[in-house]
Amino acid sequence: MNENEPLVLRNDRADGLTTLTLNRPNAFNSLSRDLLGALQAELDAIAASESVRVVVIAGAGKAFCSGHDLKEMRANPGKAAMQALFKQCGELMLTITRMPQPVIARIHGIATAAGCQLVSMCDLAVAADVAKFAVSGINVGLFCSTPAVGLARNLGRKAALEMLLTGDFIDAMEAKNRGLINRVVPADALDAEIERLAGSILAKSAVAIRIGKGMFYKQLEMGLSDAYDYAAEVMACNMMSEDAGEGIDAFMQKRKPEYKGR
């Protein structure tokens, strides 16, 4: 990587698909403070955009993301520095769930520690069959507490704790079986699978996608009764949208809908 290259590469397409590529290949895309800041800035800008419909997060080089930059952490070992780092990382993870666009992780290589956390916090994830996953902090005396937040919300408790307590790697198919990722494909088919998944979302109403993603994460934190009350209100509001009317009319008329909402 050239020192003048950006830490996050951004590629925007006319159809509304934007790819953000972590660009620290020589450091296995470890999440330095600067890389976290660069990715946060891109996500904030995208969240406010009406032209971006789907986001893909990828990694340059051999790895998807190897987690926090351990060298940087050891060079700034004070508690205040650690608190600031983990708060910054947590805000980034929350941004992914709060932004209106679906975010897809594209995992072509290893995803470890906070890199595995990043996978868990993306809305969807597609991995090459050669990808591997671990929350390996325990191997250096550090329990992966912040990655545990995402893991515990994707995997069953025992599966999550096994990863956290052992630090062992799991392969892509096991990650899929445990609920960490959605799809596994051969490495040379990874981009085509991302295209299929993103294309399916891009074909839907932007209004419905935006409303639905926000509803999904909010209701997860509610009790069952409150969740149903909230979901009913959101769905009633969704039904008032022009896109919903067009979609239902198109279905009944057996034609392709022409969505206009953003």
Side-chain angles (χ1 to χ4, degrees):
M1 173 185 170
N2 188 304
E3 291 184 0
N4 296 321
E5 287 186 18
L7 290 170
V8 177
L9 304 176
R10 177 169 172 171
N11 179 59
D12 295 299
R13 291 194 341 198
D15 63 357
L17 178 64
T18 290
T19 299
L20 301 177
T21 302
L22 309 181
N23 192 35
R24 296 188 74 205
N26 294 334
F28 300 102
N29 299 316
S30 58
L31 297 174
S32 64
R33 294 292 300 269
D34 287 345
L35 177 52
L36 287 170
L39 184 55
Q40 182 73 59
E42 292 290 359
L43 293 175
D44 287 342
I46 288 170
S49 171
E50 293 188 351
S51 61
V52 179
R53 297 278 314 282
V54 178
V55 180
V56 173
I57 296 181
K62 295 181 179 180
F64 171 72
C65 178
S66 61
H68 287 296
D69 187 328
L70 297 180
K71 290 182 179 179
E72 183 180 73
M73 291 170 70
R74 291 303 293 153
N76 300 276
K79 184 176 181 180
M82 294 299 98
Q83 290 172 324
L85 172 64
F86 296 131
K87 180 176 177 58
Q88 181 184 15
C89 186
E91 285 299 319
L92 173 70
M93 302 299 168
L94 287 172
T95 296
I96 292 172
T97 63
R98 290 170 177 167
M99 63 194 297
Q101 300 91 345
V103 180
I104 304 171
R106 176 195 181 278
I107 310 108
H108 69 290
I110 64 165
T112 55
C116 194
Q117 177 185 4
L118 180 58
V119 172
S120 74
M121 295 303 292
C122 286
D123 303 305
L124 302 169
V126 180
D129 54 7
V130 295
K132 292 185 178 182
F133 305 82
V135 276
S136 46
I138 198 70
N139 294 330
V140 294
L142 181 66
F143 189 85
C144 282
S145 296
T146 47
V149 175
L151 279 185
R153 285 161 171 76
N154 281 251
L155 285 62
R157 292 185 182 184
K158 287 182 172 59
L161 270 172
E162 181 179 343
M163 291 186 69
L164 291 160
L165 293 172
T166 67
D168 292 342
F169 276 95
I170 60 173
D171 62 22
M173 189 55 67
E174 185 62 26
K176 179 179 181 296
N177 291 339
R178 295 187 186 188
L180 181 61
I181 61 176
N182 297 88
R183 303 181 183 184
V184 179
V185 294
D188 60 2
L190 183 57
D191 288 329
E193 192 65 22
I194 292 284
E195 287 286 342
R196 278 190 287 273
L197 181 56
S200 180
I201 298 169
L202 289 168
K204 307 304 189 296
S205 161
V207 171
I209 294 293
R210 181 176 67 248
I211 291 172
K213 176 176 172 177
M215 184 284 304
F216 180 80
Y217 285 109
K218 188 171 181 179
Q219 64 84 26
L220 283 176
E221 305 304 319
M222 296 178 175
L224 187 61
S225 179
D226 287 342
Y228 266 112
D229 288 343
Y230 169 64
E233 176 63 19
V234 171
M235 200 162 188
C237 291
N238 192 169
M239 277 295 296
M240 299 301 101
S241 71
E242 183 179 357
D243 274 8
E246 164 62 14
I248 293 170
D249 288 347
F251 176 78
M252 293 190 298
Q253 295 164 14
K254 299 182 179 180
R255 61 175 174 83
K256 186 177 180 180
E258 296 181 6
Y259 296 123
K260 298 178 181 179
R262 284 287 183 265

